[in-house]
mmCIF file of all heavy atoms in Angstrom:
data_model
loop_
_atom_site.group_PDB
_atom_site.id
_atom_site.type_symbol
_atom_site.label_atom_id
_atom_site.label_comp_id
_atom_site.label_asym_id
_atom_site.label_seq_id
_atom_site.Cartn_x
_atom_site.Cartn_y
_atom_site.Cartn_z
ATOM 1 N N CYS U 919 -36.297 -3.549 215.873
ATOM 2 C CA CYS U 919 -35.735 -4.898 215.764
ATOM 3 C C CYS U 919 -36.893 -5.889 215.763
ATOM 4 O O CYS U 919 -37.722 -5.859 216.686
ATOM 5 C CB CYS U 919 -34.835 -5.195 216.960
ATOM 6 S SG CYS U 919 -33.544 -3.959 217.181
ATOM 7 N N PRO U 920 -36.976 -6.756 214.729
ATOM 8 C CA PRO U 920 -38.124 -7.674 214.658
ATOM 9 C C PRO U 920 -38.142 -8.678 215.806
ATOM 10 O O PRO U 920 -37.117 -9.254 216.150
ATOM 11 C CB PRO U 920 -37.932 -8.390 213.319
ATOM 12 C CG PRO U 920 -36.531 -8.122 212.904
ATOM 13 C CD PRO U 920 -36.047 -6.907 213.608
ATOM 14 N N LEU U 921 -39.315 -8.873 216.369
ATOM 15 C CA LEU U 921 -39.464 -9.938 217.370
ATOM 16 C C LEU U 921 -39.386 -11.265 216.646
ATOM 17 O O LEU U 921 -39.647 -11.345 215.439
ATOM 18 C CB LEU U 921 -40.829 -9.822 218.069
ATOM 19 C CG LEU U 921 -41.062 -8.625 218.986
ATOM 20 C CD1 LEU U 921 -42.471 -8.697 219.578
ATOM 21 C CD2 LEU U 921 -40.030 -8.558 220.104
ATOM 22 N N LYS U 922 -39.057 -12.320 217.381
ATOM 23 C CA LYS U 922 -39.056 -13.653 216.770
ATOM 24 C C LYS U 922 -40.510 -14.068 216.534
ATOM 25 O O LYS U 922 -41.435 -13.413 217.016
ATOM 26 C CB LYS U 922 -38.376 -14.646 217.717
ATOM 27 C CG LYS U 922 -36.884 -14.367 217.898
ATOM 28 C CD LYS U 922 -36.231 -15.566 218.587
ATOM 29 C CE LYS U 922 -35.381 -15.141 219.753
ATOM 30 N NZ LYS U 922 -35.020 -16.204 220.661
ATOM 31 N N LYS U 923 -40.711 -15.187 215.860
ATOM 32 C CA LYS U 923 -42.071 -15.657 215.533
ATOM 33 C C LYS U 923 -42.952 -15.835 216.771
ATOM 34 O O LYS U 923 -44.161 -15.626 216.741
ATOM 35 C CB LYS U 923 -41.993 -17.008 214.791
ATOM 36 C CG LYS U 923 -41.821 -16.857 213.303
ATOM 37 C CD LYS U 923 -42.670 -17.885 212.536
ATOM 38 C CE LYS U 923 -43.051 -17.414 211.164
ATOM 39 N NZ LYS U 923 -41.896 -17.037 210.330
ATOM 40 N N ASP U 924 -42.306 -16.248 217.884
ATOM 41 C CA ASP U 924 -43.076 -16.455 219.122
ATOM 42 C C ASP U 924 -43.203 -15.160 219.929
ATOM 43 O O ASP U 924 -43.559 -15.199 221.115
ATOM 44 C CB ASP U 924 -42.429 -17.553 219.974
ATOM 45 C CG ASP U 924 -41.004 -17.188 220.406
ATOM 46 O OD1 ASP U 924 -40.512 -16.106 220.011
ATOM 47 O OD2 ASP U 924 -40.381 -17.964 221.148
ATOM 48 N N PHE U 925 -42.866 -14.037 219.299
ATOM 49 C CA PHE U 925 -42.955 -12.695 219.908
ATOM 50 C C PHE U 925 -41.937 -12.465 221.021
ATOM 51 O O PHE U 925 -42.093 -11.547 221.822
ATOM 52 C CB PHE U 925 -44.365 -12.415 220.457
ATOM 53 C CG PHE U 925 -45.431 -12.260 219.406
ATOM 54 C CD1 PHE U 925 -46.661 -12.887 219.554
ATOM 55 C CD2 PHE U 925 -45.218 -11.488 218.282
ATOM 56 C CE1 PHE U 925 -47.661 -12.751 218.593
ATOM 57 C CE2 PHE U 925 -46.205 -11.333 217.313
ATOM 58 C CZ PHE U 925 -47.428 -11.973 217.474
ATOM 59 N N THR U 926 -40.876 -13.280 221.081
ATOM 60 C CA THR U 926 -39.818 -12.971 222.051
ATOM 61 C C THR U 926 -38.765 -12.087 221.377
ATOM 62 O O THR U 926 -38.692 -11.997 220.147
ATOM 63 C CB THR U 926 -39.139 -14.253 222.592
ATOM 64 O OG1 THR U 926 -38.631 -14.988 221.482
ATOM 65 C CG2 THR U 926 -40.115 -15.117 223.386
ATOM 66 N N ILE U 927 -37.944 -11.474 222.209
ATOM 67 C CA ILE U 927 -36.876 -10.586 221.725
ATOM 68 C C ILE U 927 -35.638 -11.409 221.389
ATOM 69 O O ILE U 927 -35.319 -12.365 222.101
ATOM 70 C CB ILE U 927 -36.560 -9.554 222.839
ATOM 71 C CG1 ILE U 927 -37.624 -8.448 222.820
ATOM 72 C CG2 ILE U 927 -35.154 -8.988 222.723
ATOM 73 C CD1 ILE U 927 -37.510 -7.460 223.951
ATOM 74 N N ASN U 928 -34.957 -11.033 220.313
ATOM 75 C CA ASN U 928 -33.670 -11.652 220.016
ATOM 76 C C ASN U 928 -32.577 -10.745 220.594
ATOM 77 O O ASN U 928 -32.325 -9.666 220.066
ATOM 78 C CB ASN U 928 -33.513 -11.791 218.495
ATOM 79 C CG ASN U 928 -32.212 -12.480 218.141
ATOM 80 O OD1 ASN U 928 -31.365 -12.711 219.018
ATOM 81 N ND2 ASN U 928 -32.045 -12.803 216.876
ATOM 82 N N PRO U 929 -31.925 -11.162 221.680
ATOM 83 C CA PRO U 929 -30.970 -10.264 222.359
ATOM 84 C C PRO U 929 -29.836 -9.800 221.444
ATOM 85 O O PRO U 929 -29.306 -8.693 221.607
ATOM 86 C CB PRO U 929 -30.439 -11.090 223.534
ATOM 87 C CG PRO U 929 -30.920 -12.480 223.339
ATOM 88 C CD PRO U 929 -32.035 -12.465 222.346
ATOM 89 N N ASN U 930 -29.487 -10.628 220.438
ATOM 90 C CA ASN U 930 -28.385 -10.232 219.542
ATOM 91 C C ASN U 930 -28.702 -8.964 218.753
ATOM 92 O O ASN U 930 -27.810 -8.226 218.361
ATOM 93 C CB ASN U 930 -28.044 -11.372 218.581
ATOM 94 C CG ASN U 930 -27.443 -12.533 219.340
ATOM 95 O OD1 ASN U 930 -26.818 -12.327 220.388
ATOM 96 N ND2 ASN U 930 -27.669 -13.742 218.850
ATOM 97 N N ASP U 931 -30.009 -8.710 218.520
ATOM 98 C CA ASP U 931 -30.413 -7.487 217.806
ATOM 99 C C ASP U 931 -29.999 -6.237 218.564
ATOM 100 O O ASP U 931 -29.904 -5.150 217.995
ATOM 101 C CB ASP U 931 -31.944 -7.434 217.665
ATOM 102 C CG ASP U 931 -32.472 -8.445 216.665
ATOM 103 O OD1 ASP U 931 -31.662 -8.958 215.874
ATOM 104 O OD2 ASP U 931 -33.691 -8.703 216.684
#
Side-chain angles (χ1 to χ4, degrees):
C919 305
L921 292 180
K922 293 193 229 164
K923 273 220 153 56
D924 61 358
F925 291 135
T926 57
I927 281 174
N928 182 352
N930 292 332
D931 288 344

